Amino acid sequence: LDVALWLVGRRAVYRVAGHSMAPSLRDGDRVFVAPSTALPPPGEVVVARHPHQSHTLLIKRVRSRSETTFAVGSDDPTAGTDSRHFGSLTVEHLIGPVTGVISLS
């Protein structure tokens, strides 16, 4: 389904770079993302823009949320930066939730 939605422009595809989301996502995996501006629930994996480097994209798991912000974390906190380093994100940073994974390894 994600491939069909990607073909009609309803999903974006991003490549995982690095090991911060291991073992859930590995370096080189591709993820399908549904563009969204809805505040994501805890536990969901999302793609978002870094709050201080807008050209840098993050793939992280939502750890907590408030009414207007959400905190993200790495599945392997020793291998990446996350809200512990740059604070909470707002929906303006959100690209969308990961809806599927293509594992190439």
Side-chain angles (χ1 to χ4, degrees), residues 15-100:
R15 185 180 67 81
V16 176
H19 304 283
S20 69
M21 290 303 292
S24 302
L25 299 171
R26 295 181 289 213
D27 185 43
D29 285 353
R30 303 303 197 269
V31 294
F32 288 101
V33 175
S36 176
T37 56
L39 198 61
E44 189 162 69
V45 177
V46 298
V47 174
R49 295 192 188 290
H50 191 288
H52 307 300
Q53 302 168 14
S54 63
H55 63 282
T56 301
L57 299 182
L58 308 165
I59 300 177
K60 301 293 178 188
R61 189 174 306 278
V62 176
R63 297 293 182 210
S64 64
R65 73 179 196 178
S66 70
E67 245 181 67
T68 59
T69 65
F70 60 100
V72 295
S74 303
D75 282 359
D76 179 354
T78 65
T81 59
D82 51 38
S83 287
R84 295 170 299 146
H85 304 95
F86 50 71
S88 293
L89 303 176
T90 65
V91 293
E92 288 80 25
H93 298 110
L94 181 66
I95 292 173
V98 171
T99 59

